[in-house]
Amino acid sequence: MAASLLNDRDIAFMLYELLDAESLTRRERFREHSKETFEAAMDTARSVAEKYLLPIRQKTDLIRPEFDGKDAHLIPEIKTAMQAVIDAGLASATADFDMGGMQLPSTIACALSTHLTAAGMSTMGYTTLTNANANLIEAHGTAEQIEKWVRPMREGRFTGTMAMTEPGAGSGLADLITKAVRQDDGTYRITGNKVYISGGDHDLTENIVHLVLARVQGAPKGIKGISLFIVPKFLVGDNGEIDARNDVALAGLFHKMGGHAITSTSLSFGEKDGAVGYLVGEENMGLSYMFHMMNEARLFVGTGAAVMALAGYQYSLDYARERPQGRLLAEKDPHSAPVNIIEHSDVKRMLLAQKAYAEGALALCLYGARLHDDEKTAPEAEQREQAHLLLDFLTPIIKTWPSEYGLRANHYAIQVLGGAGYTNEHPVEMFYRENRLNPIHEGTTGIQSMDLLGRKVPRNQFAGYKACIKAITETIIAAKNVAGLEDYADTLEKALKTLDDTTQTVLGASRSMNIDAAFSNSVKYLDVFGHVVVAWMWLKQGLVAQRALDTPLHDSDEAFYRGKIQAMRFFFVSELPEINHWATLVRELDTTNFDMQPEWF
Amino acid sequence: MAASLLNDRDIAFMLYELLDAESLTRRERFREHSKETFEAAMDTARSVAEKYLLPIRQKTDLIRPEFDGKDAHLIPEIKTAMQAVIDAGLASATADFDMGGMQLPSTIACALSTHLTAAGMSTMGYTTLTNANANLIEAHGTAEQIEKWVRPMREGRFTGTMAMTEPGAGSGLADLITKAVRQDDGTYRITGNKVYISGGDHDLTENIVHLVLARVQGAPKGIKGISLFIVPKFLVGDNGEIDARNDVALAGLFHKMGGHAITSTSLSFGEKDGAVGYLVGEENMGLSYMFHMMNEARLFVGTGAAVMALAGYQYSLDYARERPQGRLLAEKDPHSAPVNIIEHSDVKRMLLAQKAYAEGALALCLYGARLHDDEKTAPEAEQREQAHLLLDFLTPIIKTWPSEYGLRANHYAIQVLGGAGYTNEHPVEMFYRENRLNPIHEGTTGIQSMDLLGRKVPRNQFAGYKACIKAITETIIAAKNVAGLEDYADTLEKALKTLDDTTQTVLGASRSMNIDAAFSNSVKYLDVFGHVVVAWMWLKQGLVAQRALDTPLHDSDEAFYRGKIQAMRFFFVSELPEINHWATLVRELDTTNFDMQPEWF
């Protein structure tokens, strides 16, 4: 079966009909661009994905990276594919022209990445991390650091990592103990161990730029004593030449359930005389800098999860269209021909759920990318500020909802294929294994829920929260005036009221009761918020689709828009009502979890 | 970390406090047994599991079976472990004494299997299938067939398979095309291909007994023209000696996401001159015979899923007790020591969910096994009939609920471990991969939901359905009279009312509207029914626990029973209310799925 990777029609819908990406070309930063250059980049991405990444996708899954006791080695096809991505300019799509980038909007870059991710999955992890690393140094480093480390990353000669997690402190960054000792020459010597460092070693590029969180001697305890360092695998001379190996050793590789193309490493810094590190910005400000990279990584986790969901949906859809099996229940004649399984109501349910999850998640991620463009390039300061507020607020949802529901989508993709889906004759089980990481890395779902409820919602007198409610309300008002969407608008309005009541109650209670008890259903709160936000994304899509359906259309366009309306209906009828029970748990301050005693398990 | 495999205290609770397994020793068939012999068998199972299966568990996952173009080869440790299981009598625990079995009740055999499955997972699949195969032939074969095929299976010299699925007809058995041609000597020649045959080839035993569904020339179309044949890998002489190889060829192995110890095979029957097959029972009655094996296999799928859930729960619980990380939200002092993660409310939530799913599922499966004992050995015909009715009715739920929710439990087990859970340094990702098959094989969740709503509920004037409602009601009545359980009893009573209203509405509607539309939310119906049944299992456990708590207890016993009460509370507060929305979808005959048109996707 030659399955299509993704639905191009849908990506164009998202970009140009939903998010008006073309309007970005009127901004100064993107004035060299036009819809044509966007589409040319998209064609390039699709072509590189199909030519270099897709053919090796299964091979990267089957042949894991190897550790020879010193270095990690990948199959050479990964290097070839990465080089093709770099040569096509896709690795630095958003970077400045004068850094060798394409200076594309993030919205377009995010759309480009869907093709590459669908075909290349974990291979693209190297590029994503490298970009986020370079963006951090560009934002917080010195001009010299940018020249020395960012430029080669933009050119694809170096890759970058984020080295946070330690064996003794996973999500608990406050307890990290990697040490940094200031030297007379202004550099630092770094000593410590980091684990689960993605891309922490490989043989793809000349050098690897680790961004390492460590504690300078005498720094305060907790998160206020963390600094950020550039710690390269190889030192680099003043003219950019590769110099001696730094004291960074690969201690081992982790064997993951999925995502085998990108190494997951255990790194030892300073086993000999200390790894040379270069401070980024000021001492003890490291965590705030790291969040520049982390927030970007969180958006990419969400997007990756959405793309895995889309890829599984597309694959299982193509399969269901072609696989004859069984008869409709209404058909009693055993002599009748079997139907293709797409005709069975329960298969339609599993495909609709995938469509609702995957396209809802993608719309949310692209909306986030559009906010990223707006916070950087919108003409008015007020617009930029609003976009920043909203993106910052939505980050835990953009990271988590696609991760949790994208995985469910992949569950259904396997289920549509049945026994075949459980074997590696089809890629859906690989998508499922790969996607399982997304609710974990860059902050687990539990961590994100605390971030949302404990920080993002109340921060700045609920500024982000209010901006989000306002944006949703605008869509509701618009939908109330479109025939056919009134009921959806009313339903979302009620859901928003439920969300708001829940928010007020739980935050009010958290001031007068034990906060661990009050927040003990924080994940359910995140579920409620996530579902409301994705329902909003569906209503936005429904608005575009309904308006299109109210004009004369070609048959294929009509079918496309009807599909959007039906997926919106599925989400509103089948998914959104789930929030009522979840909200009740949160609002009634149920303490079942909190009350459970360790010795009772 | 030396994690315990399973909680022995809980298994004893289920057997002796919940199901009164000791009373079975008063029955004729089990009169040689006592609680002591049951416990001795349990000790043996635990010991074989720990000594032979657990040490090779990861190895069987990492080193997959190999196909040399002719046969499948396993690592030799699997044979050693299987032989230990056979030598200990555990492979034929329920078989008659005169067949070399231990003649144990199914309830006890099911409990024994939990230890073996937790440690051996897919390795135990060979034994499970062999038993179910032997039981079918014992029930429907001739005395000669029993002597020739069942005895060596009971002795562990042969294994057995179930060969149903064909490449062109997965779940659609009505369309299977494997042919059987009657010979003058009374045997048949079988020609056709079967896929996803578990244990279809291996080098563990002298012979393999395939039970093959095929169509005798001239048989009616559809399921009424299917016959069942014994088709051995090697022919067997009159004195039981292994004879020539039959015309059954291994065409290839499937590479599954999990469960690597047991081969999944593609078999070609009759590529040369037809495989010799021996008819079981009468022609065209094959599917009804096969259901003897299939129903047993479905109960084992549920049990296996429950055990994977238990094993993941136990492992993540042990991990959470020992892993320090982070602080409670109420703790603001960064100088305070980190707490073990079991103290965090959200980790408690994930552990409670696992406990509620896993122990709820296990109670259900053991209850099913107890019904199996009762249908065979209860003293009164009326009791046997009632037990048969109830077990037959509950089979789709026992198969599906543990499969779907056991997988969710394993999802949480990974999540409790975080990044570590995604690597093969811990077994939880393996449990998750293994468990993913359970909602698929032996009838997918969709198929089970149709079986429940379309067949099991209305059959015989709702006889099984009524028996189930009656049994649940009895527990509700008992709980109403126990202080502390009244609210739970009321809640379950309301849920039962919701279920019953939903049942009447959807079946009523199915007579007047398109049945594919009426049944288009059948999986939601199964979800509702499954949740009600598992809530019932929790109320049963709560009854035992509350009565125990009302008496003086040791501290450890008190903690155990408090844990049961808290898990019941979790299920009733957090899970059971989900049914309201699902039931609404079914009852309001929502046709979103049915209405979706293939071209709209």
Side-chain angles (χ1 to χ4, degrees):
Chain A
M1 191 176 75
S4 36
L5 270 178
L6 295 175
N7 180 346
D8 289 324
R9 175 70 183 86
D10 190 47
I11 294 172
F13 168 84
M14 301 265 180
L15 287 181
Y16 305 114
E17 297 176 71
L18 187 69
L19 296 169
D20 192 16
E22 199 173 350
S23 68
L24 292 167
T25 61
R26 292 194 293 273
R27 294 184 182 170
E28 179 57 23
R29 181 173 171 82
F30 309 122
R31 71 191 152 80
E32 308 278 318
H33 284 291
S34 61
K35 188 173 175 185
E36 287 66 38
T37 65
F38 292 169
E39 285 304 285
M42 206 71 73
D43 288 343
T44 305
R46 194 185 306 101
S47 147
V48 168
E50 288 173 1
K51 191 164 167 196
Y52 292 94
L53 292 164
L54 189 58
I56 66 166
R57 186 169 67 180
Q58 187 168 41
K59 192 166 182 185
T60 65
D61 185 50
L62 294 176
I63 306 177
R64 297 176 183 228
E66 284 187 5
F67 176 44
D68 64 8
K70 185 156 175 280
D71 298 301
H73 302 281
L74 309 180
I75 57 169
E77 291 92 333
I78 294 178
K79 183 165 183 165
T80 308
M82 260 202 64
Q83 198 59 49
V85 171
I86 292 162
D87 292 347
L90 298 165
S92 306
T94 59
D96 294 355
F97 288 131
D98 68 8
M99 276 293 204
M102 290 203 279
Q103 211 163 307
L104 279 166
S106 291
T107 311
I108 300 301
C110 182
L112 296 181
S113 81
T114 63
H115 290 290
L116 300 166
T117 303
M121 302 196 297
S122 54
T123 299
M124 290 304 298
Y126 294 104
T127 305
T128 305
L129 281 167
T130 301
N131 259 314
N133 177 309
N135 292 344
L136 184 160
I137 300 176
E138 214 160 54
H140 300 289
T142 63
E144 189 200 351
Q145 286 171 338
I146 293 169
E147 197 53 34
K148 196 163 188 174
W149 308 111
V150 175
R151 186 172 292 282
M153 286 198 275
R154 296 298 187 206
E155 292 171 0
R157 294 190 294 111
F158 295 2
T159 61
T161 77
M162 168 163 50
M164 288 197 304
T165 305
E166 298 183 2
S171 302
L173 291 175
D175 295 307
L176 65 83
I177 56 172
T178 293
K179 269 194 307 190
V181 180
R182 212 175 295 119
Q183 306 295 304
D184 293 342
D185 64 357
T187 66
Y188 293 73
R189 289 296 173 279
I190 312 291
T191 323
N193 298 304
K194 298 283 180 180
V195 290
Y196 307 130
I197 308 309
S198 292
D201 199 52
H202 55 72
D203 49 13
L204 298 172
T205 51
E206 297 167 31
N207 205 354
I208 303 173
V209 181
H210 305 292
L211 278 170
V212 180
L213 289 181
R215 219 174 265 289
V216 176
Q217 272 185 318
K221 276 222 164 197
I223 56 171
K224 289 175 182 164
I226 297 173
S227 303
L228 181 66
F229 300 90
I230 294 167
V231 186
K233 178 176 178 181
F234 290 97
L235 299 175
V236 172
D238 289 341
N239 298 319
E241 75 279 12
I242 299 291
D243 206 331
R245 176 119 185 203
N246 200 1
D247 189 6
V248 182
L250 176 62
L253 297 177
F254 292 97
H255 296 282
K256 296 173 289 180
M257 177 162 56
H260 300 158
I262 188 161
T263 52
S264 180
T265 62
S266 172
L267 297 176
S268 297
F269 293 88
E271 279 191 333
K272 296 170 195 158
D273 43 8
V276 177
Y278 310 99
L279 183 70
V280 177
E282 295 172 34
E283 283 186 4
N284 299 332
M285 297 290 290
L287 204 58
S288 70
Y289 306 145
M290 196 56 124
F291 264 93
H292 190 282
M293 179 166 186
M294 179 107 85
N295 281 328
E296 194 173 327
R298 286 178 174 175
L299 303 179
F300 270 100
V301 168
T303 307
V307 173
M308 287 296 94
L310 285 167
Y313 165 54
Q314 195 61 44
Y315 194 93
S316 61
L317 174 61
D318 289 351
Y319 184 91
R321 286 192 199 285
E322 293 178 7
R323 168 76 179 170
Q325 196 173 294
R327 286 157 193 79
L328 297 185
L329 297 172
E331 174 63 77
K332 298 299 179 195
D333 177 8
H335 294 269
S336 63
V339 298
N340 288 326
I341 62 172
I342 198 169
E343 302 283 343
H344 296 301
S345 286
D346 191 55
V347 174
K348 290 184 190 180
R349 175 185 66 87
M350 294 189 284
L351 292 170
L352 261 177
Q354 288 183 73
K355 182 175 169 74
Y357 296 159
E359 294 178 5
L362 181 67
L364 176 60
C365 294
L366 285 168
Y367 178 76
R370 171 76 209 225
L371 289 176
H372 187 67
D373 284 323
D374 288 345
E375 73 174 349
K376 299 286 185 202
T377 64
E380 306 295 330
E382 166 69 16
Q383 280 178 288
R384 293 196 294 275
E385 175 56 28
Q386 280 297 306
H388 173 74
L389 206 58
L390 201 46
L391 179 58
D392 185 58
F393 181 79
L394 286 173
T395 296
I397 295 170
I398 298 176
K399 192 273 171 185
T400 307
W401 200 92
S403 296
E404 294 281 346
Y405 288 86
L407 187 61
R408 291 196 195 192
N410 289 156
H411 175 91
Y412 285 130
I414 294 175
Q415 200 70 12
V416 168
L417 271 72
Y422 192 68
T423 73
N424 73 3
E425 293 190 16
H426 303 279
V428 289
E429 62 89 23
M430 179 175 56
F431 299 152
Y432 182 69
R433 284 186 285 112
E434 171 111 0
N435 227 348
R436 181 62 190 86
L437 181 59
N438 288 321
I440 298 173
H441 65 166
E442 316 307 348
T444 63
T445 296
I447 299 276
Q448 301 297 330
S449 74
M450 300 290 183
D451 182 46
L452 180 68
L453 182 55
R455 272 192 292 259
K456 293 284 163 70
V457 170
R459 189 147 73 189
N460 291 334
Q461 285 87 46
F462 293 76
Y465 176 80
K466 286 177 186 163
C468 183
I469 300 291
K470 180 162 164 273
I472 297 174
T473 304
E474 283 165 8
T475 305
I476 291 172
I477 292 169
K480 284 194 177 196
N481 294 314
V482 175
L485 296 185
E486 304 94 332
D487 288 352
Y488 295 102
D490 288 346
T491 303
L492 185 55
E493 192 170 39
K494 283 197 193 81
L496 200 58
K497 175 80 168 54
T498 299
L499 170 63
D500 194 41
D501 289 349
T502 305
T503 306
Q504 305 305 335
T505 306
V506 68
L507 287 180
S510 72
R511 288 187 285 269
S512 58
M513 72 188 274
N514 181 303
I515 191 164
D516 294 280
F519 283 11
S520 65
N521 286 300
S522 59
V523 165
K524 295 289 182 189
Y525 180 79
L526 177 57
D527 280 339
V528 172
F529 218 133
H531 259 43
V532 168
V533 164
V534 174
W536 170 39
M537 289 296 133
W538 271 112
L539 190 56
K540 275 172 161 298
Q541 293 182 76
L543 265 169
V544 176
Q546 191 58 56
R547 283 171 180 152
L549 285 166
D550 294 342
T551 64
L553 290 170
H554 288 295
D555 284 355
S556 69
D557 270 341
E558 174 159 354
F560 175 80
Y561 292 120
R562 292 238 174 266
K564 284 288 178 194
I565 297 288
Q566 195 71 3
M568 171 179 68
R569 179 177 156 193
F570 179 90
F571 198 84
F572 273 74
V573 168
S574 209
E575 287 292 324
L576 188 58
E578 301 270 11
I579 71 166
N580 294 317
H581 166 55
W582 304 336
T584 302
L585 277 176
V586 180
R587 209 168 43 220
E588 295 187 351
L589 303 164
D590 174 67
T591 56
T592 307
N593 307 325
F594 177 76
D595 294 341
M596 183 71 182
Q597 299 303 305
E599 64 273 20
W600 295 355
F601 280 109
Chain B
M1 190 176 73
S4 36
L5 269 178
L6 295 175
N7 181 347
D8 289 323
R9 176 70 183 86
D10 191 46
I11 294 170
F13 168 84
M14 300 264 179
L15 287 182
Y16 304 112
E17 299 176 70
L18 188 69
L19 297 170
D20 192 14
E22 200 173 351
S23 68
L24 292 166
T25 61
R26 292 194 294 274
R27 295 186 183 169
E28 179 57 23
R29 182 173 169 84
F30 310 124
R31 70 190 153 81
E32 308 277 319
H33 285 292
S34 61
K35 188 173 175 186
E36 288 65 38
T37 64
F38 292 170
E39 285 302 287
M42 205 72 72
D43 288 342
T44 305
R46 194 185 306 103
S47 146
V48 168
E50 288 173 1
K51 191 165 167 197
Y52 292 95
L53 291 164
L54 189 59
I56 66 166
R57 185 169 68 180
Q58 187 169 40
K59 192 168 181 184
T60 65
D61 185 51
L62 294 175
I63 306 177
R64 296 176 184 228
E66 283 187 7
F67 175 45
D68 65 8
K70 185 156 175 282
D71 298 299
H73 301 281
L74 309 180
I75 57 169
E77 290 91 333
I78 294 178
K79 184 166 182 162
T80 307
M82 261 202 64
Q83 198 57 49
V85 171
I86 291 162
D87 291 346
L90 298 164
S92 307
T94 57
D96 294 354
F97 289 130
D98 68 8
M99 275 295 201
M102 290 203 278
Q103 212 162 306
L104 278 165
S106 291
T107 311
I108 302 298
C110 183
L112 296 181
S113 82
T114 63
H115 291 289
L116 300 166
T117 303
M121 301 195 293
S122 54
T123 298
M124 289 305 297
Y126 294 104
T127 305
T128 305
L129 281 167
T130 300
N131 260 316
N133 178 308
N135 292 343
L136 184 157
I137 299 176
E138 215 161 51
H140 301 289
T142 63
E144 188 198 352
Q145 286 172 337
I146 293 169
E147 197 53 34
K148 196 161 189 176
W149 308 111
V150 175
R151 186 172 291 281
M153 285 197 275
R154 297 297 189 206
E155 292 170 359
R157 294 190 294 112
F158 294 3
T159 60
T161 77
M162 168 164 51
M164 289 196 304
T165 305
E166 298 183 3
S171 303
L173 292 175
D175 294 308
L176 66 82
I177 56 172
T178 294
K179 271 193 305 191
V181 180
R182 212 175 295 121
Q183 307 295 303
D184 293 344
D185 64 357
T187 66
Y188 291 74
R189 290 296 172 279
I190 312 291
T191 323
N193 298 303
K194 298 283 179 179
V195 289
Y196 308 131
I197 308 310
S198 292
D201 199 54
H202 56 73
D203 48 14
L204 299 173
T205 50
E206 297 168 31
N207 204 355
I208 303 172
V209 181
H210 305 292
L211 278 170
V212 179
L213 290 180
R215 220 174 267 287
V216 176
Q217 272 185 318
K221 276 224 166 196
I223 56 171
K224 289 176 184 165
I226 297 174
S227 304
L228 181 66
F229 300 89
I230 294 167
V231 186
K233 178 176 177 181
F234 290 97
L235 300 174
V236 172
D238 288 341
N239 298 321
E241 74 281 12
I242 299 292
D243 206 331
R245 177 122 186 198
N246 200 1
D247 189 7
V248 181
L250 176 63
L253 297 176
F254 292 97
H255 296 283
K256 296 174 289 180
M257 178 161 56
H260 300 157
I262 188 160
T263 52
S264 179
T265 62
S266 172
L267 297 177
S268 297
F269 293 88
E271 279 191 331
K272 296 171 194 157
D273 44 7
V276 177
Y278 310 99
L279 182 70
V280 177
E282 294 172 34
E283 284 187 4
N284 299 333
M285 297 290 290
L287 203 57
S288 69
Y289 305 145
M290 195 56 126
F291 264 93
H292 191 282
M293 179 167 186
M294 178 106 85
N295 281 329
E296 194 174 327
R298 286 177 174 175
L299 303 180
F300 270 101
V301 168
T303 307
V307 173
M308 287 296 94
L310 285 167
Y313 165 56
Q314 195 60 45
Y315 194 94
S316 62
L317 174 60
D318 290 350
Y319 184 91
R321 285 194 200 285
E322 294 177 7
R323 168 77 178 168
Q325 197 173 293
R327 285 155 193 81
L328 298 185
L329 298 172
E331 175 63 78
K332 297 300 181 196
D333 177 10
H335 294 268
S336 63
V339 298
N340 287 327
I341 61 173
I342 198 171
E343 303 283 343
H344 295 302
S345 286
D346 191 54
V347 173
K348 290 184 190 179
R349 175 185 66 87
M350 294 189 285
L351 292 170
L352 261 176
Q354 288 182 72
K355 182 175 169 73
Y357 295 159
E359 295 178 6
L362 181 67
L364 176 61
C365 294
L366 285 168
Y367 178 76
R370 170 77 210 221
L371 289 175
H372 187 66
D373 284 322
D374 288 345
E375 74 174 348
K376 299 288 183 199
T377 64
E380 306 295 331
E382 167 69 16
Q383 281 178 288
R384 294 195 294 274
E385 175 56 27
Q386 280 298 306
H388 173 75
L389 206 58
L390 201 46
L391 179 58
D392 185 59
F393 181 79
L394 286 172
T395 295
I397 294 169
I398 298 176
K399 193 274 170 183
T400 307
W401 199 93
S403 297
E404 293 282 347
Y405 288 87
L407 187 61
R408 289 196 198 191
N410 289 157
H411 175 90
Y412 285 131
I414 293 175
Q415 199 70 13
V416 168
L417 272 73
Y422 192 68
T423 73
N424 73 2
E425 294 190 14
H426 303 279
V428 290
E429 62 89 23
M430 181 176 54
F431 299 152
Y432 182 69
R433 283 186 286 111
E434 172 110 359
N435 226 349
R436 182 62 190 86
L437 181 60
N438 288 320
I440 298 172
H441 65 166
E442 316 307 346
T444 63
T445 296
I447 299 277
Q448 301 297 330
S449 74
M450 300 289 183
D451 181 45
L452 180 68
L453 181 55
R455 269 192 294 258
K456 295 284 162 72
V457 170
R459 190 146 72 188
N460 292 334
Q461 285 85 46
F462 293 78
Y465 176 79
K466 286 177 187 164
C468 183
I469 300 290
K470 180 162 164 273
I472 297 174
T473 304
E474 283 165 8
T475 305
I476 292 172
I477 291 168
K480 283 192 179 196
N481 293 314
V482 175
L485 296 185
E486 304 95 332
D487 287 353
Y488 295 102
D490 288 347
T491 303
L492 184 55
E493 192 169 39
K494 283 197 193 81
L496 200 58
K497 175 80 168 56
T498 299
L499 170 64
D500 194 41
D501 289 350
T502 305
T503 306
Q504 305 305 335
T505 307
V506 66
L507 287 180
S510 72
R511 289 187 285 270
S512 57
M513 72 189 274
N514 180 304
I515 190 165
D516 293 280
F519 282 11
S520 65
N521 286 300
S522 59
V523 165
K524 296 287 182 191
Y525 180 79
L526 177 57
D527 280 338
V528 172
F529 218 132
H531 259 42
V532 167
V533 164
V534 174
W536 169 40
M537 289 297 133
W538 271 112
L539 190 55
K540 275 172 157 305
Q541 294 182 74
L543 264 170
V544 177
Q546 190 58 57
R547 284 171 178 153
L549 284 166
D550 293 341
T551 64
L553 288 171
H554 289 295
D555 283 355
S556 69
D557 269 342
E558 172 157 355
F560 175 81
Y561 292 119
R562 292 239 174 265
K564 284 289 178 193
I565 297 288
Q566 195 71 3
M568 171 178 68
R569 178 176 157 194
F570 179 90
F571 198 84
F572 273 75
V573 167
S574 210
E575 287 293 322
L576 189 58
E578 301 270 11
I579 70 166
N580 294 317
H581 166 54
W582 304 336
T584 302
L585 277 176
V586 180
R587 208 169 44 222
E588 295 187 351
L589 304 163
D590 174 67
T591 56
T592 306
N593 307 326
F594 177 77
D595 294 342
M596 184 70 182
Q597 298 303 306
E599 65 273 19
W600 294 355
F601 280 109

